[in-house]
Amino acid sequence: QKEVEQDPGPLSVPEGAIVSLNCTYSNSAFQYFMWYRQYSRKGPELLMYTYSSGNKEDGRFTAQVDKSSKYISLFIRDSQPSDSATYLCAIVSGGGADGLTFGKGTHLIIQP
Amino acid sequence: DVKVTQSSRYLVKRTGEKVFLECVQDMDHENMFWYRQDPGLGLRLIYFSYDVKMKEKGDIPEGYSVSREKKERFSLILESASTNQTSMYLCASSYFRQGTSGANVLTFGAGSRLTVL
């Protein structure tokens, strides 16, 4: 079963707030977990990816994976108006080149 | 940086027209993909290719065909455009090789917004 659930939002927060974006998935075979950011009228760009449970940090961004709960999160600290975008989780089940399932994306708005 | 270039950013076509969407990547990636993206439906895979002249159906191939004559170029063809094919079309490529470990990390183009009247 290829299914990834993601709240579409919009999620609106004030500048400087901590943002939490989440996805749940149903297939325990999923191996790699990614976050893409998509600005309006642009293609998605890879933000972060990880393959293990736990946290991975990159600047103001932290990706968290809980395989036992089948739950992944992206945290953004000190959010900026430039972080306003749609964030898509993507989960890889391995196997063929098509073994990638995207969430529908969460639209995030950071209010100045 | 890998670049995926989609030749047309915005197109307006009439119902029944044949439409070509072109995509070129410049980093020798094995795999290329065509997705469409619609509000509320997210990204849906139309076709992908893991080698020259190879193609595989994705989740929604009906009404589309593809061509990959050269490794760097992947074309999406709408044989007879219909209004329900109005959408944002995204091309992507990746280096992932089947049967190996590692993540299939996609690099996307900027998208082609197609309107069919």
Side-chain angles (χ1 to χ4, degrees):
Chain A
Q1 182 181 2
K2 288 171 67 173
E3 191 159 281
V4 177
E5 300 289 339
Q6 186 176 12
D7 188 331
L11 175 63
S12 183
V13 301
E15 183 177 354
I18 295 174
V19 175
S20 172
L21 303 166
N22 309 296
C23 287
T24 59
Y25 61 95
S26 54
N27 187 346
S28 57
F30 286 144
Q31 299 177 350
Y32 292 88
F33 307 89
M34 305 178 188
W35 286 96
Y36 282 80
R37 178 176 60 195
Q38 184 176 20
Y39 290 115
S40 181
R41 300 187 183 86
K42 297 286 178 67
E45 57 177 344
L46 181 70
L47 201 55
M48 299 178 70
Y49 85 89
T50 184
Y51 58 86
S52 58
S53 284
N55 294 352
K56 180 177 181 179
E57 273 192 39
D58 184 0
R60 295 184 296 110
F61 298 89
T62 299
Q64 185 177 81
V65 175
D66 183 346
K67 288 187 177 181
S68 62
S69 301
K70 298 189 182 69
Y71 193 87
I72 66 171
S73 300
L74 178 70
F75 298 98
I76 307 174
R77 292 187 301 277
D78 188 24
S79 56
Q80 304 293 313
S82 58
D83 295 326
S84 298
T86 296
Y87 290 81
L88 299 102
C89 61
I91 307 183
V92 181
S93 59
D98 65 331
L100 181 65
T101 303
F102 284 92
K104 292 181 180 176
T106 299
H107 182 45
L108 174 66
I109 301 166
I110 307 297
Q111 302 164 341
Chain B
D1 279 354
V2 175
K3 286 201 174 150
V4 178
T5 303
Q6 295 183 232
S7 55
S8 303
R9 291 298 311 277
Y10 300 95
L11 302 95
V12 179
K13 299 291 181 180
R14 298 226 173 257
T15 302
E17 279 192 77
K18 190 169 186 175
V19 181
F20 291 88
L21 299 178
E22 304 284 343
C23 176
V24 176
Q25 51 95 1
D26 67 359
M27 283 298 289
D28 202 34
H29 276 183
E30 308 292 324
N31 311 300
M32 297 189 75
F33 306 80
W34 277 106
Y35 288 85
R36 63 178 284 178
Q37 185 175 35
D38 301 286
L41 297 176
L43 284 165
R44 292 181 291 168
L45 181 63
I46 304 171
Y47 268 97
F48 70 100
S49 168
Y50 56 87
D51 202 352
V52 176
K53 297 192 186 294
M54 304 300 290
K55 60 184 179 184
E56 297 286 344
K57 292 180 180 179
D59 299 319
I60 52 162
E62 297 78 18
Y64 303 94
S65 62
V66 290
S67 173
R68 193 170 181 199
E69 296 296 317
K70 293 185 177 181
K71 190 174 185 179
E72 67 271 18
R73 188 178 297 270
F74 194 36
S75 302
L76 180 69
I77 303 153
L78 288 67
E79 293 288 343
S80 178
S82 63
T83 54
N84 63 11
Q85 292 177 311
T86 291
S87 186
M88 168 74 103
Y89 290 88
L90 289 159
C91 176
S93 70
S94 76
Y95 183 72
F96 175 80
R97 287 188 177 165
Q98 200 141 352
T100 65
S101 61
N104 186 21
V105 177
L106 269 59
T107 300
F108 285 87
S112 298
R113 184 166 293 280
L114 172 67
T115 302
V116 182
L117 301 175

